[in-house]
Amino acid sequence: MSDGETFDEMWGHDATLRSPYQDFHEWFAEEDPARLRAKQREAEEIFRLTGITFNVYGRAEAEERLIPFDIIPRIISGNEWRKLSRGIEQRVRAINAFLHDIYHNREIVKAGRLPEEMIAANEAYLPQMIGVQPPGGVYTHIVGIDLVRTGPGEFFVLEDNARTPSGVSYMLENRETMLQMFPELFSRNRVRPVQNYPLDLRRSLAACAPSGTSGKPVVAVLTPGIYNSAYYEHAFLADQMGVELVEGHDLRVVDGRVAMRTTRGYTPVDVLYRRVDDEFLDPLNFNPDSALGIPGIMDVYRAGGITIANAPGTGISDDKAIYSYMPDIVEFYTGERPLLQNVPTWRCSEPGDLAYVLDNLADLVVKEVHGSGGYGMLIGPTASKKEIAAFRRKLKARPGNYIAQPTLSLSTVPIFARSGLAPRHVDLRPFVLVSPEGVKITPGGLTRVALKKGSLVVNSSQGGGTKDTWVLEE
């Protein structure tokens, strides 16, 4: 139950059962805890047999792990989701317009809404994309927007993931597992389906094929290979879409097209869903030592011969310093007030903000502007004096590398613990598909949960788990 200060999505602030959880609560009260514990073990076995793993780096050697799965669903009402969807779509459209602008006329800089150095000095900005018009005008074909909740109608955007957002395979497998283990729950609750995502993804990617494409567009998924932390997802999505999973050595430029090796020779590819970072995409244009990319693919792309999803150079919109300008970005390109708010953010590159952050490190969350996965960050309230002192030195040495935010009271959702239901902090990553035909948001997304009591870190690489996310029909 809620502690009165933290908003619990099942029990609210005042230990009153919220309506989205009504049917679930009745079902749970009828269940034998021993059966549920057996089902929790069964879920873990399903994930193990399916091979749903990820790799943890930064140790002596890479370690492959199962992502813990909790059987208690996170439930969002249809009305809540409708409001969230409007805000998500507004933000995604603004990000796409922002990317087009900074690689073309830079109107937002001319208008004084964004400092020039935020673009020119940003390592994620690709000069090779200046003047390039992606097929269909789409830069961000697949987007993951990380959201946190602090109250009944209070959602904040924590991060934008417009480069290569991951985790959608876990969303799909979580639902499949719940349907398999608790079919009766879905007959008692009208839950919107997520299983169409792979088909929607393929259709959305095909709709972004270059204008000269003849016949059915050929789509492929580019993976760095089996040692990548998200390789399971790459293989899963290729299989579910019914397209080829390829590595850089399977592709080459042939007669001005990017073609993949098959048993019948080389077949041209129209749309490449790449899960390889910009730096490694093309050794002729970026990192010359890359063995993961395709020499010359950027030349074909600039000539309009292939769609790369997401477009090269979209990583600048993931940047946490750019994130701090997102309210201005949304308003500039949509002419509307943002429907989803940012978490208040201090830019450590600015002397006044840096002074405030250094004085309040014990109360703040400090993140690297290009960081991800929960690495390289400080959570002041849970850090030791020694950790804060070490971080202070890093911050003073490279202030422009960091932003800081207040420690939010993230909402909690129950997990199935030994003692029964116990609250744990969560976030949510909805997945968004963008094509010339429009914006499509999968109802729900990936809920990540901090399994340790009191922890605010939900990243799987830091010990977090996942849940099935339900959006109820209105």
Side-chain angles (χ1 to χ4, degrees):
M1 290 195 180
S2 170
D3 59 13
E5 295 180 7
T6 301
F7 176 72
D8 187 86
E9 297 189 19
M10 184 169 178
W11 295 106
H13 280 299
D14 58 2
T16 300
L17 184 67
R18 297 181 65 247
S19 59
Y21 282 85
Q22 190 71 49
D23 290 336
F24 170 80
H25 184 258
E26 290 175 5
W27 170 85
F28 185 82
E30 298 164 1
E31 286 296 304
D32 176 7
R35 174 180 179 265
L36 293 178
R37 278 192 287 274
K39 286 290 186 181
Q40 182 73 64
R41 291 192 295 271
E42 182 184 334
E44 291 167 4
E45 188 59 25
I46 289 171
F47 274 56
R48 185 171 287 105
L49 290 172
T50 310
I52 306 174
T53 60
F54 71 101
N55 291 327
V56 179
Y57 300 119
R59 300 164 188 264
E61 57 186 63
E63 176 188 344
E64 196 169 82
R65 284 189 193 169
L66 284 175
I67 293 185
F69 172 68
D70 182 70
I71 62 173
I72 306 300
R74 185 208 201 146
I75 307 176
I76 299 170
S77 73
N79 184 50
E80 288 172 332
W81 183 251
R82 184 161 39 83
K83 292 176 183 176
L84 266 181
S85 294
R86 288 203 301 267
I88 292 168
E89 179 168 348
Q90 179 196 54
R91 194 170 179 105
V92 167
R93 288 187 183 280
I95 288 172
N96 202 67
F98 166 69
L99 288 165
H100 182 274
D101 185 28
I102 64 169
Y103 287 114
H104 290 81
N105 296 329
R106 295 196 182 184
E107 297 294 346
I108 195 168
V109 174
K110 293 174 185 174
R113 302 290 287 271
L114 184 72
E116 168 70 28
E117 62 268 19
M118 293 303 300
I119 297 172
N122 196 305
E123 64 185 50
Y125 182 75
L126 291 188
Q128 295 90 338
M129 284 295 293
I130 294 173
V132 176
Q133 179 72 13
V138 178
Y139 285 82
T140 55
H141 308 79
I142 303 101
V143 188
I145 304 292
D146 287 355
L147 302 170
V148 293
R149 187 175 193 174
T150 57
E154 297 171 355
F155 288 89
F156 293 88
V157 177
L158 192 62
E159 283 184 17
D160 300 293
N161 297 277
R163 198 177 321 212
T164 51
S166 63
V168 76
S169 60
Y170 305 118
M171 174 191 81
L172 294 167
E173 290 288 9
N174 289 351
R175 177 60 54 83
E176 188 64 31
T177 300
M178 288 293 286
L179 282 165
Q180 183 177 331
M181 295 196 307
F182 302 113
E184 73 280 6
L185 253 181
F186 291 87
S187 64
R188 294 174 66 153
N189 294 269
R190 296 173 61 223
V191 182
R192 292 183 61 184
V194 299
Q195 295 91 320
N196 291 335
Y197 178 86
L199 180 59
D200 291 339
L201 174 59
R202 177 164 182 166
R203 285 175 176 164
S204 187
L205 290 172
C208 296
S211 56
T213 303
S214 59
K216 185 178 180 181
V218 176
V219 178
V221 177
L222 174 65
T223 177
I226 60 172
Y227 298 109
N228 183 266
S229 62
Y231 178 76
Y232 167 80
E233 178 159 296
H234 308 164
F236 175 89
L237 288 174
D239 179 62
Q240 292 290 306
M241 285 195 288
V243 304
E244 294 296 329
L245 178 68
V246 296
E247 297 182 34
H249 56 76
D250 297 316
L251 301 166
R252 64 168 57 171
V253 174
V254 179
D255 298 329
R257 298 287 307 278
V258 175
M260 64 180 171
R261 183 172 53 195
T262 71
T263 54
R264 300 177 304 281
Y266 278 87
T267 301
V269 174
D270 299 302
V271 182
L272 191 63
Y273 176 21
R274 53 89 177 221
R275 298 295 291 262
V276 171
D277 290 343
D278 290 347
E279 180 186 359
F280 304 105
L281 194 56
D282 182 346
L284 296 183
N285 282 273
F286 304 122
N287 184 343
D289 297 324
S290 172
L292 303 176
I294 305 96
I297 188 173
M298 277 300 293
D299 301 315
V300 177
Y301 180 67
R302 282 191 288 257
I306 191 170
T307 296
I308 300 175
N310 287 351
T314 54
I316 191 170
S317 59
D318 285 11
D319 181 278
K320 293 179 180 63
I322 292 289
Y323 160 93
S324 67
Y325 289 93
M326 275 305 297
D328 284 321
I329 289 171
V330 170
E331 196 168 321
F332 185 80
Y333 295 108
T334 67
E336 304 166 347
R337 304 279 301 170
L339 297 173
L340 284 172
Q341 299 303 312
N342 266 23
V343 177
T345 302
W346 291 272
R347 305 175 192 120
C348 298
S349 58
E350 299 180 8
D353 283 11
L354 176 62
Y356 177 84
V357 171
L358 288 171
D359 286 344
N360 294 275
L361 273 180
D363 301 317
L364 299 173
V365 175
V366 189
K367 303 175 182 177
E368 292 182 343
V369 293
H370 300 298
S372 63
Y375 296 106
M377 65 188 292
L378 175 81
I379 300 179
T382 61
S384 67
K385 288 182 179 180
K386 184 177 179 181
E387 288 169 332
I388 290 174
F391 208 93
R392 184 186 302 276
R393 289 191 293 272
K394 289 201 295 184
L395 187 52
K396 285 181 174 179
R398 296 188 64 195
N401 204 39
Y402 297 94
I403 56 98
Q405 296 170 333
T407 308
L408 295 183
S409 181
L410 303 188
S411 66
T412 56
V413 172
I415 66 165
F416 188 59
R418 290 180 183 177
S419 57
L421 297 181
R424 295 293 187 269
H425 295 291
V426 292
D427 76 355
L428 176 65
R429 177 176 292 180
F431 293 95
V432 189
L433 300 176
V434 184
S435 76
E437 297 174 354
V439 175
K440 189 175 184 65
I441 305 169
T442 303
L446 179 66
T447 287
R448 300 183 299 178
V449 55
L451 295 174
K452 295 177 184 176
K453 185 177 180 180
S455 173
L456 296 171
V457 182
V458 299
N459 307 76
S460 54
S461 55
Q462 308 291 314
T466 66
K467 286 175 166 289
D468 189 16
T469 309
W470 293 4
V471 173
L472 301 180
E473 299 279 3
E474 290 194 64

